[in-house]
């Protein structure tokens, strides 16, 4: 996985680097290094992110609730 695809997957999942660091319980600096291309993205992490991104792409949020108010 490239750093560009890593970033795209996070966008599809709607995660920030802080969110994925929290989910993985790892250092934010490591996530930032992955995103910048300074560290190689482990194959297992890439597979997991691709799976999540594809699920989010296939199941976007419903539009019927936009602008709803209480």
């Amino acid at each position: 996985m490239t750093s560009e695809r890593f970033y795209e997957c996070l966008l599809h999942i709607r995660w920030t680097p802080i969110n994925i660091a929290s989910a993985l319980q790892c250092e934010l600096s490591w996530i930032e290094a992955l995103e910048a291309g300074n560290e190689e993205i482990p194959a297992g992490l890439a597979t997991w992110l691709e799976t999540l991104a594809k699920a989010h792409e296939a199941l976007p949020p419903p539009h019927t609730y936009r602008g709803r108010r209480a």
Side-chain angles (χ1 to χ4, degrees), residues 1 6 9-10 13 15 20 45-53:
M1 171 180 278
F6 179 83
C9 286
L10 293 185
I13 301 166
W15 276 355
I20 190 170
L45 178 57
T47 300
W48 181 65
L49 286 174
E50 286 288 357
T51 301
L52 290 174

Side-chain angles (χ1 to χ4, degrees), residues 1 12-13 17 28 30 36-37 39-40 43 46 49 64 68-69:
M1 171 180 278
H12 287 296
I13 301 166
L28 177 59
W30 183 63
E39 289 278 340
E40 186 175 331
L49 286 174
T64 55
R68 280 280 174 113
R69 296 182 184 195

Side-chain angles (χ1 to χ4, degrees), residues 28-43:
L28 177 59
S29 60
W30 183 63
I31 297 299
E32 291 170 337
L34 296 174
E35 193 172 35
N38 297 329
E39 289 278 340
E40 186 175 331
I41 299 159

